[in-house]
Amino acid sequence: ERMVGHWQNMLEGIVANPDARLSELPLLTRGEREQVLVEWNATAAPYPRERCVHELFEAQVEQRPDAVAIASAQGHLSYRELNCRANQLAHSLQKLGVKPGKFVGLCLDRSIEMIIAILGVLKAGGTYIPIDPECPSERMAFMLQDTQVFVLVTGQSFLDRLPECIPSLICLDTDRHSIVREDRSNLLETCSPDSLAYLIYTSGSTGKPKGVPISHANLCPLLHWGYEHLRLTPEDRVIQFLNYCFDWSVWEILITLTSGASLHMVPLDTVLNPQQTLEFLAHHNITVLHATPTQFQYLVGQGQKLDTLRQTCIGAEKLTFDLIERSLDVLHPDCRIYNMYGPTEATIMATTLEIERSNTERYQDLGSVPIGPPIANTRCYVLDRHGNPQPAGVPGELYLAGDGLSIGYFGQPELTANKFIPDPFAAGARMYRTGDLARWLPDGTMEYLGRIDQQVKLRGFRIELGEIEAVISQHPTVRENVVVLREDKLHHQRLVAYIIPNQQSAFSTGEVYQFLKTKLPEYMLPSTIVPLEAFPLMPNGKLDRRALPAPSGTRAAMEKVYVAPRDAMELHLLQVWESVLGVQPIGVMDNFFELGGHSLLAIRLMAQIQHKLKQRLPVAALFQNMTVERLAVLLRHRGDGLALAVDTLVPIQQGDENIRPMFFVHPVGGNVFCYVDLARHLGTHLPFYGLQAHGLDGSQELHSSIEEMSSHYIESIRTVQAQGPYLLGGWSMGGLVAFEMAQQLWAQGQTVDRLILIDTHVPGEQRLITAENDSELLAAFIVDWGMLNQVQLELVDLAQIVPEEQLAYIVQQAQEVGVVPPDIESSQVQHLFDVFKNNLRAIEQYRPHVYRGPITLFKASESLGEDPLSTDLGWSAFVADGLAVHQVPGNHFSVLRVPNVQVLSEQIKSYLPVGGKHEANS
């Protein structure tokens, strides 16, 4: 019926004005036009127009001077104390010349001093510019120079991070003795409502961030609306959760301090750890939380009750019904939930919807939770490309108008004129083109549908992809590039840069990445760089973004040498990293953040480490230990994770629980990390377990024989698979032990479906070192150790070193080339050497018997200087039911390394049961 009405309106418009352009013809009825332009935008409401933000705070100081205004781990300040400290700083700033029109940079961490600095600048009449201490120096320098910052307020610990172009400085810690001597009284009439309160930089499509200035007159109506609508009380306790460079933090801080509630500062470590955040909320009886949907889902995902919260405000990203449904299970029944929307240019917030528990069903058919109707003194228009209002249900670009609208972009008149345009529906007013796609719903709320341009939201941050592209294009080896936001199967969003290299220059993804790190903040760094010969195009010659190839899922192209795990701790950590990042393989030297990790994935990583390794670490530990190697060092030194190193059964690859697992036995060195690449190439669906030797850490007795090892290993594999048929195998000595395990399993009435030996000699077929001279055995140990880890140790003749110092010398050399972790001690290597000697003796003593099942032998095609004594390595005499022998590329050590392991794995796959499924009788 509505469409028929629109058709009739258009026909009447043609008759009335036959010369009009199609875009000028009326579509909406008078009633519809009145509804979307006037009725749903009737938001005018009174507020104190002559007040400045700091005056609203001072009013609370007068009403409740002794109430707690702000608290942190270092203590708390009452409203009176906070006001006096801010006044003292304001007087200091005024003496330096700060007044309306002067910009004051703030480079501080989360602390009471940060809040004092914000209030102090506002009281002095200046405009504060938040600068993240972790921001690249070049970006800091741009912001300081772009605004000609008059004074920078910081702390002594941040001075070494600041660029050379710093203005006058106030260090709140070292200058405290002079600041505290200043007047504690309020400053009078330092600025007017039209004065700028703050300027925050957002991502810019031109390659440079753009500054958005907001005045006291923009802020006051928002704060008054919040005071009236959200009804915060002096009993409320608000957590200061958001980064102060994120404009929503302005709301979080100032709505608290202008409502008489108390603001509780939370350390960054706690913010980055959902479990610690939950404990903080409960311990401090927090009643109000502001968070992005991504942050909120990490908290909800812990499954713990959030009983103290009476109000939860969610914004900055699209909010899903799934998250709301899950949150209802953990929030108190009386907790009010708000979905909030608004760009920086419209002063933080333009629309809000309170989500009523009893009424969520009416929106269930939508793609996301509606963003609500406009707040007080804000107008919303949904317009087509010709500027005509769209009726309810029809998408269009969202335009915002009202008292919260910024004056425009600082120092960019052309961009301001393009984005801040005359409001055709209100004489003399302006409106802002958001670039957001939205539509009115029949009840006067709005649904957010996405973007109409290249701007994206990632972890709450607004990012112009064009800015990243512009920075990448500055690198001399880049000819063309395009950046997109992709979502993988694990629903991780990440930035991917596709680059066509300049043919005249040597291109390196690692070099480009390091270049970007000096120019972009962490949240804008591409997690993956993909070189291409050409971009995919549509028939019209335009770039086909949808046809850009997905990153391979392999480790990010940062061109680092892959180093495999070297002990159980590193292996367990690698498995967690690969699960969280969705990237493989990852080496122990790879940097978490260069692989696409970010602060929110770091939260997930630490949660999984706590779950799997039973060790709790603060997220900040990852920022100081960004590789598996360094994180493993940290965990070992804590002393509570060593049990991982002595478990016989090592889950190298979890795989699909419905697939029958494969068990591979350690070689002579006792460790099973040689099988990591093999397991991966056999397919990540296949559960793959390694059986490592007793005594690797010196806490267990060594097995005296192959038979004793086999008996113990059978007990271990039965904890995973109680009954046969089994899939067994091993490389070198591991094949020999697997052979004996198969013998014992058959004797116990169990079946072995497949027994795989990789370059395993029958005892006597290969020459083993049996001398008791440790120097001679150490030489063999070095060969086995170094070759296995793809590094040849360059050692002098051990005979030149006294026996007591030989082992320490080996450890030092091995650490220098990365064969072993840097924190390993000689005593630990001694345990490994003891296992090596013990296993050599066990091989010498073992006498195999004829096996009644089939054996598949994979023999290395290259010798290590000695001709093999037989083509089947001696196994024909011990197999009754058939021996299949295959030659595979590589020598005894390199057969398990890339690229040879790829050929080996394909050969092994042909012998595995189809799909590897458990049989019904299993």
Side-chain angles (χ1 to χ4, degrees):
E1 289 177 356
R2 187 171 64 188
M3 291 182 71
V4 169
H6 293 164
W7 173 246
Q8 182 175 336
N9 292 337
M10 185 178 70
L11 294 178
E12 290 174 352
I14 291 174
V15 172
N17 190 0
D19 295 326
R21 299 176 62 86
L22 285 173
S23 60
E24 298 169 349
L25 294 175
L27 211 62
L28 277 65
T29 65
R30 181 174 298 177
E32 285 178 313
R33 186 178 177 88
E34 180 79 9
Q35 183 182 59
V36 298
L37 293 180
V38 180
E39 180 183 333
W40 287 345
N41 280 311
T43 60
Y47 65 90
R49 293 179 178 271
E50 302 306 317
R51 305 290 291 276
C52 292
V53 173
H54 55 277
E55 293 173 336
L56 300 179
F57 164 70
E58 290 167 358
Q60 293 298 327
V61 175
E62 292 180 11
Q63 293 180 38
R64 45 187 62 83
D66 298 322
V68 173
I70 184 169
S72 75
Q74 286 70 47
H76 67 270
L77 296 179
S78 67
Y79 269 84
R80 179 191 289 113
E81 291 168 332
L82 176 58
N83 189 50
C84 290
R85 293 277 300 274
N87 286 336
Q88 289 173 325
L89 177 60
H91 283 291
S92 296
L93 291 169
Q94 270 203 337
K95 287 182 177 179
L96 290 174
V98 173
K99 58 184 180 180
K102 296 293 185 181
F103 293 108
V104 180
L106 304 184
C107 186
L108 298 161
D109 58 4
R110 294 167 176 267
S111 61
I112 289 178
E113 284 68 28
M114 180 185 85
I115 306 301
I116 292 171
I118 290 174
L119 291 173
V121 175
L122 295 177
K123 284 170 170 283
T127 306
Y128 82 86
I129 302 175
I131 299 173
D132 191 338
E134 300 299 326
C135 189
S137 178
E138 185 173 319
R139 196 177 183 87
M140 281 190 194
F142 171 79
M143 291 188 282
L144 294 172
Q145 293 172 345
D146 187 45
T147 55
Q148 294 295 297
V149 162
F150 190 68
V151 179
L152 182 65
V153 179
T154 186
Q156 188 71 26
S157 61
F158 302 128
L159 293 182
D160 59 345
R161 307 181 195 180
L162 298 174
E164 295 180 359
C165 59
I166 56 175
S168 299
L169 278 176
I170 288 183
C171 285
L172 292 182
D173 42 11
T174 56
D175 293 335
R176 178 167 170 72
H177 63 283
S178 60
I179 297 173
V180 296
R181 291 199 294 266
E182 295 291 344
D183 191 348
R184 296 160 62 92
S185 61
N186 291 338
L187 292 79
L188 301 176
E189 298 183 4
T190 56
C191 62
S192 70
D194 291 332
S195 301
L196 298 182
Y198 67 85
L199 185 146
I200 282 184
Y201 277 88
T202 67
S203 180
S205 58
T206 61
K208 294 180 179 179
K210 52 183 184 281
V212 181
I214 298 297
S215 69
H216 290 262
N218 296 142
L219 261 174
C220 280
L222 172 66
L223 295 173
H224 186 76
W225 169 84
Y227 182 75
E228 295 284 330
H229 188 75
L230 301 184
R231 300 187 293 278
L232 263 66
T233 71
E235 286 70 42
D236 276 312
R237 302 158 71 88
V238 184
I239 183 174
Q240 202 283 294
F241 196 59
L242 304 168
N243 187 316
Y244 85 131
C245 295
F246 183 16
D247 70 325
W248 205 18
S249 70
V250 179
W251 161 262
E252 177 188 53
I253 294 167
L254 294 181
I255 190 60
T256 304
L257 297 178
T258 58
S259 299
S262 60
L263 187 67
H264 290 255
M265 308 300 293
V266 59
L268 180 60
D269 284 354
T270 302
V271 171
L272 296 177
N273 187 312
Q275 186 60 43
Q276 291 182 22
T277 299
L278 291 172
E279 293 172 4
F280 186 95
L281 294 174
H283 179 72
H284 296 278
N285 195 30
I286 298 298
T287 62
V288 180
L289 168 71
H290 299 83
T292 67
T294 302
Q295 292 171 321
F296 190 54
Q297 78 173 3
Y298 280 115
L299 297 179
V300 171
Q302 303 301 304
Q304 297 183 25
K305 292 293 185 181
L306 295 164
D307 287 333
T308 66
L309 295 179
R310 76 168 193 88
Q311 188 178 111
T312 302
C313 302
I314 307 172
E317 296 171 345
K318 185 181 287 189
L319 178 60
T320 65
F321 283 102
D322 174 65
L323 179 55
I324 292 298
E325 290 295 330
R326 287 187 287 128
S327 71
L328 295 181
D329 294 333
V330 298
L331 291 171
H332 190 279
D334 295 331
C335 181
R336 301 166 71 184
I337 309 171
Y338 293 93
N339 187 26
M340 297 177 164
Y341 161 85
T344 306
E345 291 84 348
T347 311
I348 308 166
M349 196 181 308
T351 70
T352 299
L353 178 73
E354 181 176 355
I355 302 165
E356 301 175 14
R357 291 170 180 260
S358 60
N359 205 15
T360 57
E361 293 80 7
R362 66 174 174 165
Y363 297 125
Q364 287 288 0
D365 292 336
L366 304 178
S368 60
V369 179
I371 57 177
I375 66 171
N377 300 294
T378 300
R379 300 188 302 279
C380 297
Y381 307 125
V382 178
L383 308 179
D384 67 15
R385 61 192 179 96
H386 301 292
N388 298 312
Q390 297 283 49
V394 180
E397 184 174 1
L398 178 58
Y399 290 71
L400 300 175
D403 293 352
L405 213 61
S406 168
I407 59 174
Y409 297 111
F410 180 78
Q412 299 194 50
E414 291 184 6
L415 184 59
T416 298
N418 181 50
K419 286 289 190 177
F420 294 82
I421 62 178
D423 182 348
F425 314 111
R430 296 172 308 128
M431 61 183 186
Y432 169 65
R433 299 178 56 184
T434 66
D436 289 330
L437 195 65
R439 64 173 178 169
W440 287 108
L441 299 177
D443 62 355
T445 62
M446 275 185 296
E447 181 186 8
Y448 172 79
L449 300 173
R451 292 290 299 175
I452 63 173
D453 57 18
Q454 286 189 278
Q455 188 185 107
V456 298
K457 279 285 189 74
L458 180 63
R459 306 184 329 258
F461 289 99
R462 195 171 96 182
I463 299 172
E464 295 278 3
L465 298 179
E467 179 179 358
I468 305 174
E469 293 170 352
V471 175
I472 293 175
S473 66
Q474 296 172 17
H475 197 276
T477 67
V478 175
R479 192 179 86 200
E480 296 179 60
N481 80 93
V482 63
V483 178
V484 300
L485 182 70
R486 300 194 72 111
E487 186 172 294
D488 62 21
K489 293 182 290 186
L490 300 175
H491 304 294
H492 296 159
Q493 288 188 319
R494 56 174 173 162
L495 294 168
V496 179
Y498 297 88
I499 291 177
I500 299 177
N502 187 335
Q503 299 299 322
Q504 282 71 46
S505 306
F507 178 76
S508 164
T509 55
E511 183 180 315
V512 172
Y513 184 82
Q514 294 303 321
F515 170 78
L516 297 180
K517 283 181 69 175
T518 66
K519 295 180 176 291
L520 296 172
E522 177 267 331
Y523 66 88
M524 291 179 70
L525 290 173
S527 67
T528 307
I529 296 175
V530 181
L532 297 175
E533 293 184 0
F535 291 143
L537 302 177
M538 294 185 288
N540 61 6
K542 294 183 178 180
L543 173 67
D544 188 353
R545 291 177 177 270
R546 295 185 178 183
L548 289 166
S552 62
T554 58
R555 52 203 298 260
M558 296 306 151
E559 298 179 353
K560 290 188 176 180
V561 175
Y562 172 73
V563 179
R566 299 157 300 193
D567 67 6
M569 183 68 78
E570 290 184 345
L571 176 62
H572 283 272
L573 284 174
L574 275 181
Q575 292 168 341
V576 175
W577 280 42
E578 290 179 350
S579 170
V580 168
L581 291 168
V583 173
Q584 57 181 226
I586 294 175
V588 300
M589 304 291 192
D590 290 333
N591 184 295
F592 178 80
F593 298 98
E594 292 179 4
L595 292 169
H598 49 71
S599 55
L600 292 176
L601 280 184
I603 294 172
R604 184 176 298 174
L605 179 78
M606 290 311 188
Q608 289 201 19
I609 288 175
Q610 181 175 345
H611 174 72
K612 184 168 184 176
L613 307 188
K614 310 304 179 190
Q615 298 213 57
R616 181 170 171 174
L617 288 175
V619 174
L622 185 62
F623 294 95
Q624 280 81 48
N625 304 276
M626 299 182 187
T627 66
V628 165
E629 177 186 70
R630 291 178 61 182
L631 203 59
V633 170
L634 179 65
L635 288 171
R636 288 191 209 95
H637 286 179
R638 287 165 62 94
D640 52 2
L642 297 178
L644 289 170
V646 299
D647 291 339
T648 298
L649 199 63
V650 179
I652 293 175
Q653 186 167 279
Q654 296 290 350
D656 186 337
E657 62 180 9
N658 296 315
I659 303 291
R660 196 192 318 162
M662 177 170 280
F663 303 96
F664 260 56
V665 185
H666 62 82
V668 68
N671 273 308
V672 293
F673 309 108
C674 53
Y675 297 130
V676 171
D677 280 340
L678 176 63
R680 199 184 314 279
H681 283 91
L682 286 173
T684 55
H685 66 286
L686 176 67
F688 193 104
Y689 291 84
L691 292 154
Q692 67 181 3
H694 265 199
L696 291 173
D697 69 340
S699 65
Q700 299 164 311
E701 287 190 16
L702 303 178
H703 289 124
S704 61
S705 66
I706 297 289
E707 291 85 353
E708 185 182 351
M709 290 179 202
S710 300
S711 176
H712 178 76
Y713 297 167
I714 287 172
E715 292 177 13
S716 295
I717 69 173
R718 280 185 165 169
T719 63
V720 174
Q721 183 184 346
Q723 302 290 325
Y726 291 98
L727 300 174
L728 301 178
W731 166 62
S732 192
M733 175 193 176
L736 201 61
V737 181
F739 175 85
E740 175 59 28
M741 288 174 66
Q743 292 277 34
Q744 293 186 19
L745 284 167
W746 280 105
Q748 296 169 15
Q750 298 292 324
T751 57
V752 177
D753 193 28
R754 186 60 54 191
L755 176 58
I756 295 170
L757 312 183
I758 301 175
D759 216 46
T760 299
H761 294 249
V762 170
E765 281 284 292
Q766 62 180 150
R767 184 169 60 84
L768 298 174
I769 297 177
T770 57
E772 291 300 319
N773 184 311
D774 268 8
S775 293
E776 203 171 339
L777 287 173
L778 270 172
F781 180 52
I782 294 164
V783 172
D784 182 77
W785 203 10
M787 293 285 284
L788 177 61
N789 288 276
Q790 310 178 34
V791 181
Q792 283 282 16
L793 303 181
E794 297 181 4
L795 303 175
V796 300
D797 186 353
L798 286 174
Q800 300 176 19
I801 303 174
V802 295
E804 297 78 26
E805 298 177 2
Q806 289 177 354
L807 194 64
Y809 172 71
I810 289 174
V811 173
Q812 177 189 346
Q813 296 298 308
Q815 286 173 332
E816 289 181 3
V817 295
V819 171
V820 296
D823 63 325
I824 198 166
E825 298 176 356
S826 294
S827 60
Q828 294 171 281
V829 179
Q830 181 65 59
H831 300 320
L832 299 177
F833 182 47
D834 292 342
V835 169
F836 178 79
K837 288 192 296 183
N838 179 76
N839 287 345
L840 282 179
R841 295 191 195 99
I843 293 171
E844 288 288 348
Q845 295 166 4
Y846 182 61
R847 295 295 177 263
H849 300 284
V850 174
Y851 176 64
R852 57 176 173 166
I855 291 179
T856 306
L857 171 68
F858 295 95
K859 177 179 176 292
S861 62
E862 303 171 17
S863 69
L864 288 172
E866 299 177 3
D867 294 327
L869 298 180
S870 63
T871 57
D872 61 8
L873 305 183
W875 285 106
S876 294
F878 298 95
V879 181
D881 193 23
L883 173 68
V885 181
H886 300 273
Q887 272 207 352
V888 287
N891 59 40
H892 181 69
F893 293 101
S894 66
V895 70
L896 287 175
R897 292 189 229 143
V898 176
N900 300 331
V901 70
Q902 295 166 270
V903 178
L904 173 64
S905 63
E906 289 301 318
Q907 295 267 22
I908 293 176
K909 283 181 188 178
S910 66
Y911 282 92
L912 297 181
V914 176
K917 296 286 183 183
H918 283 296
E919 272 74 2
N921 64 359
S922 297

